[in-house]
Amino acid sequence: MAAGALPVPVPVPVPVLVLILVLSAAGEPEQPRHVDGSPPSKIAIVGAGIGGSATAHFLRQHFGPEVQIDVYEKGEVGGRLATVTVNHQDYESGGSIIHSLNLHMQEFVKMLGLKYRRGVAGKTAVFNSDEMILEETDWYLLDLFRLWWRYGISFIRLQMWVEEIMEKFMRIYKYQAHGYAFSSVEELLDSLGGSGFINMTRRALSDSLLELGVSQRFIDEVIAPVMRVNYGQNVSIPAFVGAVSLAGAQNNLWAVEGGNKLVCSGLLKMANANLLRAQVGSVSSVRSGDVQQYQLSFATAAGSASELYDIVVLATPLQDSVGSGVRFQGFSPASGPQEGSYHSTVATVVHGYLNTSFFGFPDPRLFPFASVLTMDSPDLFFNSVSSVCPVNISVGFRRKQPQEAGVYKVFSPKPLDKSQLKILFRSYYSVQVTEWQAYPSYSSSQRLPPVELHPNLYYLNGVEWAASAMEMSAVAAKNIALLAYHRWSRQTDMVDQKDLMHKIKTEL
């Protein structure tokens, strides 16, 4: 997530193989060359979510220790990685899990000395508003047999499709390890999967799967529930973001002990970045001869001020629906809000007793599921409900049984009213609601936003319109750091190169 972001994938009983390899190039930071051979003096990043904090880290790697890096954040560090407190325990209310092979995130955790949160097993089911139509068991082979019996070889075709896409996508980490960058999301996607990847951002997921021979029943009963919980949207979303969503829908997931947002604060500290609690109101173009700089005007609790920067990275959505508040002044051609809107998702954390009778289990002791996903039905007012664990899990911790008071997270398109809460819960002690502009409202007709808005002015969150996830934001952060470095150093041979796999092989 994004951006980091949500989404919040939930393990589902679909055997999808994911191949994501990440190669992180650290090494000694090189000193860039500019017109006069000097590095930039000051760099600004607007937004301290996973994208902004990772950008600060990677910029420090490439530009060295002397550059001043200022990070502006109007809210809380972590952005869409956030927690809420229930009964003296903290729970994830935003981006909750990370795939075990998202190695950018793994590397961050390792560098920062953070710990992996212990997983607590739990089964998943799919509900169609009348009954559970798909139930995970404790036996993997039985789950496979049930999938085959109900859907034929659809799940095998899906597995092969996702595997092929992820195998191509893994190239980005090799490219970044060798220092290559891309000036647009399209260039990045083209380098990985050619026109096929770009076309996947313009074609509905359902159309792509039907063409593969995946059955409509499988799409309705398995794929649609995964899209609803991960992105709050249906199978008309673009095929590329759908594939990323399906890649994360499995059991091999993890999280950070103490909360995923600790990665963001840790990266800022490691980057020796200055955190400014401020609302950026405008970015103004300031040109003196051949020198292009940007003036950021901002407001803090102490009043208004402005600062001049050589490089600016906007790591916050610029769509009107999000209300970033950032205006652009003095640009030719003019800059402004980006096209599109963000999708509203409501995360409701409830401490109470789940009403298992609603799902067809009058006796809660017989309800075996930790997570319930839902089909796309007009009778259902929620996308998923899951028993959740605190961000700090003790050695003796066990997941609450349905007959006990537990903590549940419900995803829904709108806030739940009291009557809806009474449908889902027999009774409850507390309810905490977080409304997120969580991820883009995806459309196959939506253009991908630019990465370079103007020379040395970059936009990170455009990558979300290809796919929104924490690792995608980390990938975008690394790309922008490399791109900014190469643009400043005038190393054009490291940007938008073609046939990179062949180049890398010859370099080796």
Side-chain angles (χ1 to χ4, degrees):
M1 347 205 57
L6 298 166
V8 188
V10 173
V12 297
V14 185
V16 179
L17 176 62
V18 182
L19 299 175
I20 300 180
L21 299 178
V22 182
L23 302 174
S24 252
E28 293 298 318
E30 302 172 86
Q31 295 304 315
R33 309 178 308 276
H34 202 231
V35 178
D36 59 357
S38 64
S41 175
K42 295 169 66 178
I43 300 175
I45 300 169
V46 181
I50 186 61
S53 55
T55 300
H57 165 69
F58 289 129
L59 285 171
R60 180 64 72 201
Q61 278 190 341
H62 292 290
F63 282 105
E66 301 303 320
V67 177
Q68 178 179 325
I69 299 177
D70 294 340
V71 178
Y72 292 83
E73 175 54 58
K74 63 180 180 180
E76 296 296 322
V77 170
R80 285 170 275 175
L81 305 185
T83 58
V84 296
T85 303
V86 179
N87 200 25
H88 310 295
Q89 295 263 34
D90 289 339
Y91 295 82
E92 300 281 6
S93 63
S96 298
I97 57 89
I98 306 160
H99 193 275
S100 62
L101 294 180
N102 285 168
L103 298 189
H104 267 325
M105 293 297 295
Q106 279 200 13
E107 182 65 17
F108 294 159
V109 170
K110 181 180 178 181
M111 287 188 306
L112 297 172
L114 298 172
K115 296 180 180 179
Y116 289 79
R117 191 187 317 163
R118 185 171 66 87
V120 181
K123 294 188 283 293
T124 300
V126 176
F127 185 62
N128 71 354
S129 80
D130 293 320
E131 61 181 349
M132 299 294 194
I133 51 95
L134 193 61
E135 300 180 1
E136 189 177 16
T137 71
D138 290 319
W139 296 279
Y140 178 70
L141 290 179
L142 177 58
D143 290 340
L144 283 180
F145 176 77
R146 285 182 168 183
L147 287 171
W148 173 79
W149 184 261
R150 190 172 181 90
Y151 306 112
I153 62 172
S154 287
F155 72 94
I156 298 175
R157 287 173 171 154
L158 178 74
Q159 176 180 337
M160 294 174 63
W161 182 68
V162 173
E163 180 180 335
E164 180 184 1
I165 292 166
M166 292 300 107
E167 190 173 4
K168 291 178 179 178
F169 183 79
M170 76 183 220
R171 297 171 182 171
I172 185 58
Y173 305 107
K174 293 183 179 180
Y175 299 164
Q176 290 183 338
H178 286 78
Y180 291 103
F182 305 92
S183 64
S184 68
V185 180
E186 288 91 345
E187 286 285 352
L188 188 153
L189 293 176
D190 184 68
S191 74
L192 302 176
S195 61
F197 269 20
I198 296 175
N199 290 336
M200 286 177 66
T201 68
R202 301 169 181 168
R203 191 178 190 202
L205 172 63
S206 56
D207 292 343
S208 295
L209 293 181
L210 286 171
E211 187 177 273
L212 280 173
V214 175
S215 71
Q216 186 66 55
R217 187 181 194 183
F218 188 75
I219 292 172
D220 293 339
E221 296 182 358
V222 178
I223 306 301
V226 175
M227 297 307 113
R228 283 167 60 81
V229 68
N230 283 359
Y231 291 110
Q233 296 168 68
N234 59 35
V235 292
S236 65
I237 69 172
F240 188 82
V241 66
V244 170
S245 177
L246 291 165
Q250 57 178 286
N251 291 310
N252 205 9
L253 308 170
W254 59 278
V256 177
E257 182 78 13
N260 294 329
K261 65 182 182 181
L262 295 180
V263 174
C264 300
S265 55
L267 288 173
L268 293 179
K269 185 176 181 180
M270 178 173 285
N272 194 26
N274 303 314
L275 178 63
L276 289 84
R277 303 282 184 174
Q279 165 72 64
V280 174
S282 66
V283 180
S284 302
S285 175
V286 179
R287 194 169 189 89
S288 177
D290 293 333
V291 178
Q292 172 70 63
Q293 290 182 299
Y294 298 99
Q295 180 173 288
L296 264 61
S297 298
F298 56 93
T300 67
S304 299
S306 63
E307 289 284 346
L308 207 58
Y309 293 95
D310 300 305
I311 297 173
V312 173
V313 178
L314 299 171
T316 185
L318 294 179
Q319 281 69 21
D320 279 331
S321 66
V322 179
S324 68
V326 178
R327 294 173 288 108
F328 295 85
Q329 299 177 342
F331 288 91
S332 181
S335 287
Q338 295 297 311
E339 295 178 2
S341 62
Y342 270 64
H343 185 81
S344 178
T345 290
V346 180
T348 305
V349 179
V350 181
H351 180 208
Y353 296 87
L354 187 68
N355 180 19
T356 57
S357 295
F358 177 72
F359 300 103
F361 289 80
D363 187 347
R365 293 172 297 180
L366 301 179
F367 187 81
F369 308 112
S371 299
V372 177
L373 280 58
T374 62
M375 290 180 61
D376 194 353
S377 168
D379 296 327
L380 290 172
F381 53 86
F382 65 100
N383 297 335
S384 66
V385 57
S386 302
S387 168
V388 291
C389 301
V391 298
N392 293 293
I393 297 179
S394 59
V395 175
F397 177 85
R398 67 173 180 82
R399 192 187 294 274
K400 294 289 186 181
Q401 298 301 307
Q403 68 269 24
E404 302 175 296
V407 178
Y408 295 86
K409 182 158 58 176
V410 183
F411 283 117
S412 59
K414 298 178 181 179
L416 303 179
D417 59 33
K418 287 186 177 181
S419 64
Q420 292 169 332
L421 285 168
K422 287 182 178 180
I423 290 173
L424 283 178
F425 297 92
R426 289 181 287 137
S427 62
Y428 50 86
Y429 297 108
S430 67
V431 177
Q432 296 194 52
V433 180
T434 306
E435 292 191 51
W436 295 107
Q437 294 289 310
Y439 17 66
S441 289
Y442 287 106
S443 166
S444 54
S445 62
Q446 177 67 50
R447 292 185 299 175
L448 296 174
V451 172
E452 293 184 289
L453 300 179
H454 286 273
N456 298 326
L457 176 61
Y458 303 97
Y459 180 43
L460 182 140
N461 289 67
V463 77
E464 287 195 273
W465 293 82
S468 178
M470 278 184 262
E471 185 72 4
M472 289 294 289
S473 293
V475 167
K478 179 69 172 179
N479 181 64
I480 281 182
L482 285 167
L483 183 60
Y485 177 80
H486 296 322
R487 292 298 196 213
W488 189 267
S489 309
R490 301 195 172 184
Q491 296 177 345
T492 57
D493 60 328
M494 299 301 290
V495 179
D496 293 340
Q497 291 297 300
K498 306 298 181 183
D499 195 20
L500 279 179
M501 288 303 293
H502 176 72
K503 285 180 180 291
I504 289 172
K505 287 178 182 179
T506 57
E507 287 176 7
L508 296 175

